[in-house]
Amino acid sequence: MLNIFSTIQRMFRGALPLLVSLAASPAFSQLPEPAPVHLAVDPSKTCQSIENFAASDAWSCQFVGLWPNAPKEAIADWLFSTDTFRDGRPKGIGLSLWRFNIGAGSSGQGDASGIKDEWRRAESFLETGGQYNWQRQAGQLWFLRAAKQRGVHQFLGFLNSPPVTMTRNGKAYATAGVCNIDSGHYEAMAAYITQVVRGIKASTGITFNYISPVNEPQWEWSDGGQEGCPYNNKEIGAVVKTLSHSLSDAGLSSRILVPEAGHIKYLLDGEDKPGKSHQADFFFAPSSPDYIGNLSNINRTIAAHSYFSTSPIQKGNDMRTAIAFHIDSLRRLQHPVKSLAYWQSEYCILGDNEGEIDGSRRDTGMDAALYMARVIHNDLVYAHASAWQWWLAISPYDYKDGLIYVDKNKSGGDYYASRKLWAFGNFSRFVRPGMQRIETQIPETDDANGLLVSAYKDAHRKRLIIVVINQGPGDRELALTGEMLSTPQLAIYTTSLRENLQKQMTSSASVKIKGKSISTLVGNYK
């Protein structure tokens, strides 16, 4: 299928922000200063609506949520706050959705769980005797409430595994890659999820907007590295239909998100996983015998994870363009899926990425932040993602998986913001739910070490948001062309090696974009 990607990309190219070349040779400082890059933005030409930017509470919040108040309040401010300091800097990145891990109960099994790392086990509200204990997952519930207190309005509950009381092997991970729950327990699993939604609503006042019952169903999840469960498409469909009936009978408004594919290729093809691929058509093509798009509480979204698909850049972008094209074709088939959207629902930097960047070892600086920002840009621009969600909000590991890093200490410790946190904030803090991405035009080149630009509008407030990623080491001048702004004033928020969304104001139509930085320009359009 990849042999048609380039053709499809050309069909979409008019709507895509384009790369701008930046020389990166050792003699760069001796070269003439690059000419200004001229940017045209057309608010009348709209693309997808933005639904949310998010991160997950797995797995550290179960402990960090029990730390002393001062550090956990500071961490919550970084993640959720939309307040500002006196100098205009945002206090936090203003996540608009928070993902809550509904644990399977491996924590209660201790070492017998088979999951060696205690931080990757999870509690369950369901006790072995069949009773519910709403004091469980207390640290996670603290962050759930903290998110609500700071203005987060969207919440998602996800399962990595069914409860251990319902699994085939009595553990929170599978045996030999076989789905770890048999069909005779689907109703019990649905009842459990429904009861969790009710119980959390009663204890926090929060009703999950979304429930994600399966996670990365293509992988075997049989090594005991964490909670996890494989499913094929037929099994997912049966789980979803059973859960749909349970939620409806309980009068709950939560919508079901599927399938959180472990790789974006499984939405369209992926024959290396028979029975677990072609998921967009399997679930949302009206002609499919397993069509679920007509369920009243299905979220008409196809969700996948961007792992292992970000490099090389051109191949990754071709795949994303194909996803946007295919989902657009599904929208045209039948009324129930006219609103079908695509979510990138989990990502962190894994693997060696064709030598571009290695996921191992922490990087709290700009290299990882710029790579992350490029992935966000490409998912929004090429795949037309309506939501973009990071994996671990808080990590204790020596890995590029955290927005915030903490000491691996259950009772307290130090905490550290990475540049990834603030780079994410260049999107999440300013591109708010309900805004629409709009077309931009800048000169096209083939150099990936350049400028990436995307733009968004808030139609109600006539607000224009432009996110500019300068991947190269030198400063660039961005000239806003046309009569797009109602006033010449722009606020610029910059994340660089020494700046965390630092604010400055300008009335110039020409803006300097620092080398190795992400800048968000905020103004009003006519």
Side-chain angles (χ1 to χ4, degrees):
M1 189 168 185
L2 287 177
N3 61 347
I4 68 169
F5 287 169
S6 295
T7 301
I8 295 172
Q9 181 173 335
R10 286 195 295 273
M11 295 170 62
F12 271 67
R13 184 161 291 174
L16 303 179
L18 306 169
L19 298 176
V20 176
S21 176
L22 176 63
S25 69
F28 176 77
S29 60
Q30 301 171 14
L31 296 175
E33 186 172 325
V37 175
H38 293 275
L39 169 68
V41 176
D42 188 345
S44 69
K45 295 182 178 179
T46 58
C47 305
Q48 78 272 27
S49 294
I50 301 300
E51 296 184 62
N52 58 71
F53 291 92
S56 161
D57 71 355
W59 290 281
S60 298
C61 288
Q62 63 181 312
F63 297 125
V64 178
L66 303 178
W67 280 15
N69 275 338
K72 67 186 183 185
E73 293 279 3
I75 290 171
D77 283 344
W78 279 348
L79 292 170
F80 308 125
S81 178
T82 56
D83 292 339
T84 57
F85 293 107
R86 289 185 178 180
D87 63 2
R89 284 180 299 120
K91 192 174 184 179
I93 67 170
L95 294 178
S96 44
L97 180 144
W98 185 238
R99 294 177 61 98
F100 180 95
N101 178 21
I102 300 174
S106 57
S107 178
Q109 297 176 318
D111 290 342
S113 69
I115 298 174
K116 294 180 180 179
D117 185 351
E118 184 181 5
W119 285 60
R120 292 195 175 200
R121 303 170 193 161
E123 290 185 332
S124 173
F125 295 110
L126 182 61
E127 304 281 3
T128 54
Q131 302 300 313
Y132 285 85
N133 182 349
W134 302 112
Q135 304 305 309
R136 299 293 186 194
Q137 300 195 239
Q140 293 173 247
L141 290 173
W142 187 92
F143 272 97
L144 197 68
R145 294 185 182 98
K148 180 185 178 183
Q149 290 166 0
R150 288 162 175 79
V152 178
H153 300 297
Q154 298 182 57
F155 300 91
L156 181 150
F158 68 97
L159 285 77
N160 287 318
S161 165
V164 294
T165 55
M166 301 175 193
T167 58
R168 296 177 190 267
N169 61 7
K171 297 187 183 299
Y173 63 93
T175 300
V178 175
C179 180
N180 205 19
I181 183 170
D182 60 50
S183 59
H185 283 92
Y186 288 171
E187 288 191 5
M189 178 179 170
Y192 161 75
I193 295 171
T194 301
Q195 193 63 28
V196 168
V197 175
R198 281 173 160 169
I200 287 180
K201 179 181 180 181
S203 61
T204 68
I206 294 168
T207 299
F208 286 127
N209 305 81
Y210 309 98
I211 290 292
S212 175
V214 303
N215 177 67
E216 296 186 351
Q218 289 80 16
W219 311 146
E220 292 195 356
W221 298 117
S222 300
D223 64 356
Q226 66 166 82
E227 295 189 346
C229 183
Y231 297 87
N232 62 35
N233 289 345
K234 288 280 189 183
E235 290 161 340
I236 295 171
V239 166
V240 166
K241 290 173 184 176
T242 306
L243 177 58
S244 174
H245 292 310
S246 181
L247 292 172
S248 294
D249 289 347
L252 293 170
S253 60
S254 304
R255 302 177 74 84
I256 304 168
L257 178 73
V258 293
E260 303 241 29
H263 192 298
I264 62 175
K265 68 180 180 180
Y266 297 121
L267 299 186
L268 303 184
D269 48 29
E271 294 303 335
D272 58 316
K273 296 290 182 180
K276 300 184 176 188
S277 58
H278 299 281
Q279 292 186 310
D281 285 344
F282 188 94
F283 295 117
F284 288 104
S287 60
S288 170
D290 296 276
Y291 176 64
I292 61 173
N294 57 350
L295 295 177
S296 62
N297 49 13
I298 194 73
N299 196 52
R300 292 181 177 87
T301 300
I302 189 79
H305 300 172
S306 276
Y307 299 121
F308 318 117
S309 66
T310 61
S311 57
I313 299 171
Q314 189 61 55
K315 180 179 178 182
N317 288 348
D318 286 346
M319 295 175 72
R320 284 162 173 78
T321 301
I323 287 170
F325 182 85
H326 194 81
I327 290 178
D328 186 58
S329 70
L330 286 173
R331 289 191 196 104
R332 303 174 189 179
L333 295 178
Q334 189 171 320
H335 177 71
V337 292
K338 283 188 180 298
S339 59
L340 187 65
Y342 171 65
W343 282 17
Q344 191 296 117
S345 56
E346 185 181 310
Y347 178 76
C348 71
I349 301 172
L350 292 180
D352 65 3
N353 300 286
E354 303 283 340
E356 292 178 353
I357 190 169
D358 195 310
S360 62
R361 311 295 295 179
R362 286 186 189 181
D363 181 345
T364 57
M366 283 306 296
D367 287 344
L370 287 166
Y371 195 88
M372 171 201 202
R374 189 184 83 186
V375 175
I376 298 173
H377 172 92
N378 291 344
D379 281 327
L380 295 175
V381 167
Y382 290 89
H384 293 191
S386 294
W388 202 92
Q389 301 173 356
W390 181 259
W391 176 217
L392 301 184
I394 306 169
S395 171
Y397 299 110
D398 188 17
Y399 209 82
K400 295 179 181 63
D401 56 358
L403 300 177
I404 298 166
Y405 290 96
V406 295
D407 292 345
K408 199 173 185 182
N409 187 322
K410 292 192 291 184
S411 60
D414 287 331
Y415 54 98
Y416 323 84
S418 72
R419 287 295 180 273
K420 295 192 298 295
L421 174 76
W422 303 111
F424 196 15
N426 279 98
F427 291 91
S428 62
R429 179 65 178 79
F430 305 100
V431 185
R432 305 302 295 172
M435 290 188 180
Q436 289 179 293
R437 188 173 68 81
I438 57 178
E439 288 189 14
T440 67
Q441 292 183 350
I442 56 178
E444 179 181 8
T445 74
D446 295 322
D447 189 351
N449 192 31
L451 220 59
L452 299 171
V453 182
S454 60
Y456 312 83
K457 73 171 184 179
D458 179 344
H460 297 294
R461 301 170 64 193
K462 305 290 280 188
R463 183 67 57 86
L464 177 66
I465 310 295
I466 302 171
V467 182
V468 186
I469 305 164
N470 185 357
Q471 303 172 99
D475 296 349
R476 299 303 306 268
E477 185 179 348
L478 185 70
L480 306 183
T481 62
E483 300 296 325
M484 66 184 79
L485 297 176
S486 59
T487 66
Q489 279 218 324
L490 278 174
I492 306 171
Y493 299 85
T494 300
T495 298
S496 67
L497 187 60
R498 295 178 177 82
E499 297 167 296
N500 301 331
L501 295 174
Q502 190 68 45
K503 182 183 179 181
Q504 67 181 82
M505 299 295 299
T506 183
S507 56
S508 172
S510 185
V511 178
K512 184 176 79 170
I513 306 297
K514 295 181 179 180
K516 290 200 168 187
S517 73
I518 304 104
S519 294
T520 301
L521 285 54
V522 180
N524 293 305
Y525 67 90
K526 293 184 178 179

